[in-house]
Structure formats: structure tokens, C-alpha cells
Amino acid sequence: MAVGALTRLWIADDGLINVRIVDNVLAGQGPTFTSGIRAETGTSAVWLAVMSIGSAVPGLGADTVAVAGGLLLTLAGIALGCASIHRARPEAGVVVPLGLLGYASYSYAWDFASGGLENGAVTCWLGGLAWELGREARSHRAVVGLGLLIGLGPLLRPDLAVVSVVLLLAVTPRRRRWPWVDPRLVAAAALLPVASVVLRAAYFASLVPAAGLAKEGTSLRFAQGLSYGVTSLAPGGLAIVAGIAVALEVARSHPDRLARVVPARSAALALAGALHLAYVVAVGGDFMRGRLLLPGLFALALSVGGFVVPTGRVARRVVVVVAALVALLAVAGPTFRDPWVVDERDYYAEMAGDAHPISAADHDGSPWARGTEDLVTANPGSLIYMPGRGGTIRFVMPLSAEAAAEHSSVLVTSTLGIKGTLVDDDVAVLDPIGLADPVAAHARLVERGRPGHEKDLPPEWYVARFGDPDAPVPDGVDPAGVAAARRALGCGDLATLVEATTADLGPDRLVRNLLDAPRLTRFRFHPDPTTAAAELCPG
């Protein structure tokens, strides 16, 4: 895993999103992508906390911490998984962790060992869970610690709540009388997730991160999810499938030589991994090839356990396993193509012209970033609208007095990470997709497309929100649509949403956000300004 990950070292555009959030946290501006506009752009509170702590060390930049920290946590997770299997060995001998061998041979596991995303932290969490699940006798403190560890799942990624619930049910002891479950374990597991939801609601006026709203993480899209799974597993992922299949055959033939993390708990890991994979497929997968499959695959790899090879000789079946994995790595099998799913790592490395782009500066030469910093510097007090691929500028116009009082400029773009880290932190950087813009996140999804990029708030909304009302409407922007958007922004739940995410925070605002969060989380408006105005401002 270490060798493979080092050959694929990089930081993704989404990883640079985390870098800008951490820079804002350390600057005292809160866990937001843009100061003064509260949207939970990051999806992993735990990973942002780890990055913030590491970046507080003098001399360490957030991008360095993101890349190195992700790699180290991945290796720690692999080591913990191996240790948990080794500890469970049924007899003396060398333990070969067959499932983990397959996982460590998967090229996309190498890609997202770094990348600046939370995958390393997730791997370390799952490895730590496997280690803890193998402990039988527990003190009071150990029970509480296990509960807290299980409860970290939703804070690592909201979808990992599936894994946390399965493992909590698996380890909670049943009693013959009330309470039927150990209240210490359940309370400890619920503590952090409940606290995070309350804090999120009070600060962001939402029960889920902005990414969950933007990607509509509860809507079903099975066909696209199956395509994502096939595209991600062919050909490299076949190594994992082969490793697990051969491991199960070894287990069937030599049950006395199987090392597992307490059989019942191994089954729980397998179920948790399978359910997480099923969820990923059900909601349509992702646009980054392989990324969202990794937690489920790693849980399955941990559940397989290892084969105990007697010291002094090597079992024939283990040789077959290793040979099969090496062959699958060496021979590129048939590759399935999905136009919505890309090899994100190779794409950004090619765009940057650097085999290992591991900092924001390494991406500076990318077509996505070229000239952005100079453009913003040359147009202070402006709304700069340049979404879509490359650096195409749709229009530049003056900001309204209210917007200019809050931001030096407003940049609307779809490449948040690269451009966001290149401009100053007083520049508002928003996206029509909704990851960093709470208004766009609540737009109604009207047409399916590339996973995670299906919403596209029209420019009329940005002119209405940030543009100078006395300036000419830019070419290509509908003046009637701008007028309708201005009207809609002052009506109903949309007006409440804007106030909840931009007004100064005080005790009263925190309480109001907390109370409004359930309703605002469900709220959606039509992206067409005229339709939205008719729905939100009747009469």
C-alpha cells in the first residue's frame, strides 16, 4: 500500500476545498469556505479537525498535512487491520491477510490514500474498529471508548452512519431485563453524532452538510450506481474480488487455519461493508472512480481475515492467491467506460502538467486555474462569473454596496478547490452546484446528470444577490429573470435561508437556526427564477 500510494501521490480539487476551509478555521473565520456565507462545504468534521490540528504546527501548510496525513492514516488503518487479524490467529504460524492483500493491490485505494480527502481517516477508523472488536473483556472505560469510536462514523462521512449502526447492533450485549442493551455503549455512540447535528443546525441551519443537499444523497439512481461500480472495479478492483473469493475457498477447505476478528464481529464487518456498497450503488455512486467504494471494500477485506501458514512451509493456496493478485495487477483486463465517472487523479495530474501535484501551487498551471488570481486582482469589487470547464469568463460586473461591504470580490466557479486556494480569503468563492453556496444547495434537482454536479443555479440568481442593481445586466443574462430572482429571494423559506446563512451569529440567531433547520433542510425551490418567484411569492 505504501509503495502504491507513493507512486500516486497527489491532492485533488476537492482536497483543496478542505485546505481553504482549514485556513479559514485557523484565521478565526469559522468552518466555512467563504467568510460570511455559512455553508458546510466539507463533508468530514473529523478530517477537518485532524487537518486543523496538524496545520496549526508552525511550518506545516494545510495542503502538506492533507496529503501526508491521509497517507499516514491509511497505512495506520492497514496496520491495525493486519494486527487485528494476527491477534485472532487460531494457532502458531505466519498470518497472510488475504482480504487486505487484495485491497492493498487496488489502484484507486492508492489514489485516495492521499488526495487530501477523508479516505485515510476512514481507513484508520475501520482498522481501529477491527482491532477493538477483537477485545473480549472490557472495563467501563473501554466500553465507553468503543462506543465513542463507533459513533465517529457519521462525523467521518454522513453515509458511514450505516456502518456505525450495524457495528453498534453487533457489539451491544442483550440483557434479559430492562435495559436490554448496555446504556453506556449506546449513549457513548450517540453522543458525538447528536452533538454534531445540533451544532450543525445552529451554525449552518441544516441537518446535513451542503454536499448532501447538493447531491441529493437520499434520491435513488440504481442504474448509474451499477455503472459506477462496474467502472470502478474493472480492471483493478478484480484483485479485491479475487482475493476475497480465494480467501473464502481457503476458509472452506482449511477452517482450522482461518484467523478472523471474532467470527460474529467479522460477520458484522462484512454486513456493514456490503450495506455501505449497496447504499453507494443505490444513490448513483460518484464522479470519482472508485472513491466511494473504498470504505465498503475495506470493511469486507477486514472481515475475510487471514490464512495461517505453518512456520517453515508455504501453503499452496496462498501461493495461488498471491499469483492471482499479481497477474490481475500486471494484466489490464477489459475496462468499462462511463462518461460521468473519471479517473480523477490522472485527470488533474494531466491538467497540472505535474505527475505529483501535491499543493495548490502545483495546480497553478492548470487550465482550471490559469489567470484566476490575476483576474480577481484586476477586478476588485466585482462579481466574476466563470463556471464550467476551463477559465472561460461569462461576465464581470460591479458588486452591490451590501456585497462590497462583505467581500472584496465574488467569484462564481465550479472548480472550488484550486481557484479558492489561489485567491485571498476575503474573496467570496461560490459554486452553482451548491457545495459552497447554501442557496444553490437548496435548488430543486430537475435533471439527472454527472453525479454530484447535477444542480446548476442560473446566473440571474447571482446577479440578483450580488450585482449592483444600477449596473447594466450582462449580456446573456435575462433582466426579467434577475427581477424575478430578486423578488423570490425576499419571500418565504428562501428569505429565511438567506438570513440564516448570512446574518451575524448571536445567541438569538443560533436558536432560530436550530429551530428552523429541520424545515430548511427539506426546503427546495425551482432554479428557474420566474417559476421560483411564482411559487414563493404567490399573489
Side-chain angles (χ1 to χ4, degrees), residues 26-325:
L26 297 180
Q29 297 175 357
T32 63
F33 196 74
T34 290
S35 177
I37 300 178
R38 293 185 292 276
E40 191 178 2
T41 309
T43 56
S44 176
V46 171
W47 179 229
L48 289 174
V50 170
M51 284 183 59
S52 298
I53 294 171
S55 301
V57 177
L60 287 181
D63 47 7
T64 301
V65 172
V67 174
L71 175 58
L72 291 174
L73 287 172
T74 296
L75 298 180
I78 294 286
L80 285 167
C82 290
S84 68
I85 294 170
H86 179 79
R87 183 173 61 184
R89 61 184 182 173
E91 62 180 56
V94 177
V95 178
V96 180
L98 300 176
L100 292 179
L101 180 62
Y103 183 84
S105 304
Y106 188 34
S107 63
Y108 296 123
W110 302 343
D111 284 1
F112 295 105
S114 55
L117 299 165
E118 70 282 345
N119 292 84
V122 172
T123 303
C124 187
W125 174 67
L126 288 170
L129 279 173
W131 172 262
E132 280 294 311
L133 291 175
R135 297 176 61 179
E136 291 297 333
R138 296 187 182 279
S139 64
H140 170 78
R141 186 174 299 176
V143 169
V144 172
L146 176 61
L148 290 172
L149 182 62
I150 291 175
L152 284 179
L155 278 72
L156 281 158
R157 280 191 62 90
D159 46 276
L160 291 175
V162 173
V163 177
S164 291
V165 169
V166 171
L167 295 183
L168 181 62
L169 293 175
V171 302
T172 302
R174 270 61 176 174
R175 301 178 177 182
R176 293 184 178 180
R177 58 182 182 178
W178 175 263
W180 295 295
V181 297
D182 190 333
R184 302 169 302 169
L185 186 65
V186 175
L191 176 63
L192 293 177
V194 171
S196 70
V197 170
V198 172
L199 292 173
R200 175 184 294 125
Y203 191 84
F204 296 106
S206 177
L207 300 180
V208 298
L213 300 172
K215 299 178 181 181
E216 297 293 357
T218 57
S219 61
L220 301 181
R221 199 181 181 191
F222 287 101
Q224 175 61 35
L226 287 172
S227 179
Y228 173 74
V230 172
T231 301
S232 298
L233 287 175
L238 296 175
I240 302 178
V241 177
I244 291 176
V246 177
L248 293 175
E249 171 59 21
V250 170
R252 185 191 66 81
S253 304
H254 302 277
D256 59 320
R257 298 197 185 281
L258 185 66
R260 303 178 69 182
V261 185
V262 188
R265 309 290 166 76
S266 292
L269 279 169
L271 178 60
L275 287 177
H276 189 267
L277 290 173
Y279 168 80
V280 170
V281 169
V283 299
D286 188 36
F287 67 97
M288 296 187 195
R289 194 176 298 172
R291 179 195 172 198
L292 291 190
L293 299 181
L294 296 179
L297 291 174
F298 189 60
L300 288 174
L302 286 168
S303 70
V304 166
F307 183 70
V308 179
V309 181
T311 305
R313 65 187 181 89
V314 178
R316 181 180 61 184
R317 291 183 182 274
V318 175
V319 175
V320 172
V321 172
V322 175
L325 294 176

Side-chain angles (χ1 to χ4, degrees), residues 365-386:
S366 167
W368 290 100
R370 195 173 298 136
T372 299
E373 191 173 6
D374 293 339
L375 174 67
V376 173
T377 302
N379 292 280
S382 297
L383 167 62
I384 304 168
Y385 187 83
M386 50 186 304

